[in-house]
Amino acid sequence: MKNVKKSRPVRIKWKHVLVIFLVLIVFQVFVSHMQQDTLRDLLSDTLQWYKQNSAEQIGNLTTTSLEILLESYPVEGGEDPQSRERNLVHALNSILRQPMMNRNVEVMCVIVPHKEKFITFDLGQSIYRYFYYDEIPDVLVRPEHEDAVKRYIGIHEQMRKTELTTSINEGQSIFHVYIPLVPYGEYGGAVYLRIHPDVTFISQQVLSTFNKTVIIFFSLILTGLLSMFYISTYIIIDRDEAREQLFSEHEHHLQEQVAQEKERVFAKRIYHTHHKAEKVMGFINEDIEAVNENNIKEIKYRIGKYANFISRVIYDMKWFNPPIQTIRSNLFSTNLNDVLSFIVNNIFLRLSYPVESIKFNLELDEKLPSVSVNEFVAWEIIEPLIQNAIDHSDKSEVIITLSTRYDEKNNRSLLLIEDNGEGIDEELLQSGPEGEKKIFLENITTKSDSKNKGYGCFLASEISKRCGWQLDVENREEGGARFILRINH
């Protein structure tokens, strides 16, 4: 037999390690270069989107403020006309000047079509005279707005049909943003902003950090390759498996959290808007069918209130946390006595079930001053509190007493909602972790069917805080509960 040579064991010498080391270094340099190019492209795309999105956000906020101001400010009323005009012009100028304080905004104006031409405005006085008195300025288009009007001519018809925001890029850093102006639901023109966002420092900072990270990483490779070469393979494998399991569990947990949050937000909106809007739409249909020559003024007034409430409902579904100026502002002047009377007579006394079992007592103080809060925001606070008093009374005959009082000495108003029911469980009147009574916490209810319940008092409390009011509740000595709204003027 031939002699069989024994195979020698494979030994890794320093030359082999050197080759592996050089290959790793070359590979790392190549990968780092590719990562840097990819990062640069990603930054370019991300910053481009960010600049456009921030530009549109500025324009949307300004346009929304203009629309709300033009829709909610009364043209006629008890206020002195000159004072009313000054207040509105001042508010319009404040809205128009606010974006110009941002160093990225270069030009801003309002463009409206007029016959076959276009008019530009950048002053509150001109906008006021045009929208309320149809006065045309002497100069239709100022020289600094000619470029904006030229671009607007090309997109005017499309914006009028779609009512969508349009952004036009000039190079990589200048945006011409046109936001449709839709006061009272009708297209009336566009708000134009020329914005030059400067975010160069962000990309420089990110790339600088990336380069530092690469240098540190190379240093770690040079010092730790030989000592960690053999054990790193097994460690990385175990680490990757553990990380994959951790990421999988974390992803599943995040999906559950997102689903719960969406369901919670959806429940809040459905509780506070959907069934109320559906009920009010039914009242509108009834009024339309019952209209005649004798009651047309009354029904017109009532349908107007219903329609404005539906509009507020839709707005709340659009903005979960609306801007504060849409809730309270000096532009609003709401008579709470009128709100209470309207809700009682045109909401609760129009229910489909017999209303003989429910009686309302109105004890309204005629000296009660108006409040600077949107009328339909006050509606959203009062209506669920009255409904709560009815639902939890547990009486065959429910008596709801609504009263208002004005304390001239302290310049404070009180709005009381009282019932003759069984009262509120003492446990719910205890203070929670943050000092607020438990009945005003989220998902707190005493109803057996708690699905989509427990939001009425919670939302009333949250909205009251945004109005600057204080909402409290207590049990009456003679039985029943009493909700108290304290309003400081």
Side-chain angles (χ1 to χ4, degrees):
M1 295 178 63
K2 296 182 179 179
N3 294 331
V4 179
K5 294 183 179 180
K6 295 182 179 180
S7 58
R8 293 182 300 174
V10 178
R11 297 178 180 178
I12 299 177
K13 299 182 179 180
W14 68 270
K15 294 181 179 180
H16 301 148
V17 175
L18 180 61
V19 171
I20 296 175
F21 176 79
L22 293 176
V23 170
L24 289 175
I25 291 297
V26 173
F27 177 78
Q28 184 61 34
V29 171
F30 176 73
V31 170
S32 298
H33 181 71
M34 289 186 61
Q35 287 179 336
Q36 191 171 29
D37 291 340
T38 303
L39 179 61
R40 188 178 288 108
D41 294 339
L42 177 61
L43 278 175
S44 177
D45 295 340
T46 303
L47 293 178
Q48 184 74 6
W49 171 85
Y50 169 77
K51 290 186 288 187
Q52 180 174 345
N53 183 67
S54 62
E56 292 179 355
Q57 287 293 335
I58 295 173
N60 283 331
L61 181 59
T62 302
T63 305
T64 301
S65 300
L66 283 174
E67 291 174 352
I68 293 173
L69 184 59
L70 293 175
E71 291 176 359
S72 62
Y73 198 90
V75 178
E76 298 180 359
E79 188 182 353
D80 178 66
Q82 294 182 352
S83 176
R84 183 169 61 251
E85 179 178 347
R86 286 195 303 269
N87 290 338
L88 181 54
V89 170
H90 176 72
L92 289 170
N93 282 325
S94 298
I95 294 174
L96 294 173
R97 284 196 297 265
Q98 189 65 29
M100 298 300 296
M101 298 174 66
N102 190 319
R103 63 186 180 88
N104 295 327
V105 180
E106 298 178 348
V107 179
M108 176 186 173
C109 66
V110 178
I111 306 175
V112 297
H114 178 69
K115 297 182 180 179
E116 300 298 327
K117 299 181 180 180
F118 295 88
I119 306 175
T120 61
F121 302 99
D122 58 359
L123 295 175
Q125 180 69 27
S126 301
I127 295 178
Y128 174 81
R129 305 304 299 180
Y130 176 81
F131 278 93
Y132 289 95
Y133 299 104
D134 294 328
E135 290 187 11
I136 308 302
D138 296 333
V139 180
L140 298 183
V141 180
R142 297 178 60 182
E144 60 267 30
H145 301 152
E146 291 179 354
D147 185 58
V149 173
K150 289 179 182 179
R151 288 186 171 87
Y152 181 66
I153 292 174
I155 62 175
H156 168 61
E157 287 299 325
Q158 180 182 359
M159 288 190 64
R160 185 178 62 83
K161 294 178 182 179
T162 61
E163 295 185 2
L164 296 176
T165 299
T166 302
S167 298
I168 301 175
N169 295 3
E170 181 180 345
Q172 294 293 325
S173 57
I174 297 179
F175 294 86
H176 301 274
V177 182
Y178 295 86
I179 302 92
L181 183 64
V182 193
Y184 300 104
E186 296 182 2
Y187 181 79
V191 175
Y192 165 77
L193 291 97
R194 184 176 187 269
I195 302 178
H196 185 189
D198 184 13
V199 292
T200 307
F201 70 96
I202 296 178
S203 59
Q204 291 177 348
Q205 187 68 24
V206 173
L207 290 175
S208 175
T209 303
F210 177 79
N211 291 333
K212 292 179 181 178
T213 304
V214 171
I215 294 175
I216 295 174
F217 188 68
F218 279 171
S219 300
L220 292 175
I221 291 179
L222 289 172
T223 56
L225 179 62
L226 294 177
S227 59
M228 299 299 297
F229 180 78
Y230 293 102
I231 63 175
S232 61
T233 302
Y234 302 99
I235 294 176
I236 290 174
I237 292 175
D238 293 337
R239 183 199 64 186
D240 290 342
E241 291 179 354
R243 181 181 293 178
E244 184 177 356
Q245 294 177 0
L246 178 62
F247 285 168
S248 178
E249 293 177 359
H250 187 59
E251 181 181 5
H252 180 69
H253 181 64
L254 288 177
Q255 289 176 348
E256 290 181 348
Q257 285 185 327
V258 171
Q260 292 174 0
E261 183 65 22
K262 288 182 178 179
E263 184 178 356
R264 185 179 299 111
V265 173
F266 177 74
K268 292 178 184 177
R269 295 179 184 271
I270 290 301
Y271 180 87
H272 204 56
T273 59
H274 182 269
H275 72 280
K276 294 179 177 60
E278 185 178 10
K279 179 171 62 177
V280 171
M281 286 301 300
F283 294 159
I284 293 176
N285 291 332
E286 291 178 2
D287 283 343
I288 292 174
E289 293 178 357
V291 67
N292 55 50
E293 295 179 355
N294 298 326
N295 61 9
I296 186 170
K297 290 185 178 179
E298 176 185 355
I299 289 182
K300 180 180 178 182
Y301 170 78
R302 194 160 56 225
I303 289 180
K305 292 284 188 180
Y306 289 152
N308 287 330
F309 177 71
I310 295 294
S311 176
R312 183 68 197 188
V313 166
I314 296 173
Y315 184 82
D316 285 343
M317 296 179 72
K318 175 183 177 183
W319 298 88
F320 178 70
N321 190 14
I324 192 64
Q325 62 266 26
T326 66
I327 297 176
R328 54 176 176 170
S329 170
N330 292 330
L331 302 178
F332 299 121
S333 181
T334 300
N335 188 317
L336 291 179
N337 290 339
D338 294 342
V339 174
L340 288 171
S341 299
F342 186 87
I343 291 176
V344 170
N345 295 323
N346 298 283
I347 298 295
F348 288 98
L349 294 181
R350 290 191 63 172
L351 298 179
S352 58
Y353 54 81
V355 296
E356 289 80 5
S357 61
I358 304 176
K359 294 183 179 180
F360 289 91
N361 296 328
L362 295 178
E363 301 174 359
L364 307 179
D365 187 352
E366 296 181 356
K367 297 180 181 179
L368 191 74
S370 300
V371 294
S372 301
V373 170
N374 187 302
E375 174 182 355
F376 302 99
V377 173
W379 188 339
E380 290 178 310
I381 298 173
I382 297 170
E383 194 273 344
L385 295 179
I386 299 176
Q387 188 65 52
N388 183 83
I390 295 174
D391 292 341
H392 295 277
S393 63
D394 294 331
K395 293 281 187 177
S396 57
E397 183 180 20
V398 182
I399 300 177
I400 305 297
T401 302
L402 306 176
S403 57
T404 57
R405 303 171 189 171
Y406 178 54
D407 182 1
E408 295 184 7
K409 181 179 179 180
N410 298 315
N411 195 23
R412 175 185 295 177
S413 296
L414 291 179
L415 191 155
L416 306 178
I417 302 174
E418 302 173 292
D419 63 74
N420 65 332
E422 300 295 332
I424 299 174
D425 190 344
E426 291 295 333
E427 182 181 354
L428 298 181
L429 298 179
Q430 301 298 321
S431 298
E434 298 181 359
E436 190 172 17
K437 292 184 177 180
K438 293 182 180 180
I439 192 172
F440 297 127
L441 300 179
E442 189 175 6
N443 287 325
I444 299 298
T445 181
T446 58
K447 297 179 180 179
S448 57
D449 179 15
S450 61
K451 184 177 181 181
N452 289 337
K453 301 295 192 301
Y455 287 117
C457 294
F458 166 71
L459 290 177
S461 175
E462 291 299 311
I463 299 174
S464 298
K465 294 176 184 177
R466 296 176 186 175
C467 295
W469 299 351
Q470 296 177 354
L471 178 61
D472 197 5
V473 64
E474 63 185 14
N475 285 325
R476 304 167 61 205
E477 293 181 0
E478 58 270 29
R482 178 188 295 118
F483 286 95
I484 306 170
L485 266 175
R486 295 183 174 89
I487 303 168
N488 294 318
H489 297 282

